[in-house]
Amino acid sequence: MTENKAAARVLEHPNGQKRELSQTHKNILLHFVRFGKLFAKTCAVMLTLLGLAAFAGAVQGGGLPAMLSMLAAIVADNWALGAWFSLNETEAYLCAES
């Protein structure tokens, strides 16, 4: 349905305010994003420590299991850091709209 200028003025909220319901949902979503950032950052730190421990095990002669756990830690750490950076952008987008 097309709107003309008169209809658009009628549909606007007085004083240019936003709807309360959408603002509440953005605040709730922002809390979830911040919790997700904290979770991803904690996972990244733990996976880095696991990778360092696997590296130390490989240096001391741990063999194939140590190398595979080090490789798995690197891959999982890459994923956790990617999630953290994407949640950073999401948080910046939500804060800019508020």
Side-chain angles (χ1 to χ4, degrees), residues 35-48 77 80-81 83-84 87:
F35 176 75
K37 274 181 51 179
L38 178 68
F39 182 72
K41 195 173 186 180
T42 304
C43 286
V45 169
M46 292 298 126
L47 287 166
T48 302
D77 198 13
L81 288 173
W84 184 72
L87 286 171

Side-chain angles (χ1 to χ4, degrees), residues 4-79:
N4 58 19
K5 291 182 181 180
R9 282 195 306 267
V10 171
L11 296 175
E12 286 179 354
H13 193 281
N15 300 328
Q17 296 174 350
K18 296 182 178 179
R19 292 179 42 204
E20 283 184 32
L21 188 60
S22 65
Q23 191 66 26
T24 303
H25 286 145
K26 285 181 187 173
N27 288 340
I28 292 171
L29 184 60
L30 191 58
H31 286 297
F32 279 121
V33 167
R34 288 182 178 156
F35 176 75
K37 274 181 51 179
L38 178 68
F39 182 72
K41 195 173 186 180
T42 304
C43 286
V45 169
M46 292 298 126
L47 287 166
T48 302
L49 291 175
L50 175 67
L52 288 174
F55 177 74
V59 167
Q60 293 182 356
L64 185 63
M67 294 301 277
L68 289 177
S69 64
M70 186 173 60
L71 182 65
I74 290 170
V75 169
D77 198 13
N78 189 14
W79 177 85

Side-chain angles (χ1 to χ4, degrees), residues 33 37 81-95:
V33 167
K37 274 181 51 179
L81 288 173
W84 184 72
F85 281 115
S86 70
L87 286 171
N88 253 351
E89 292 176 4
T90 305
E91 181 184 23
Y93 174 75
L94 287 174
C95 287

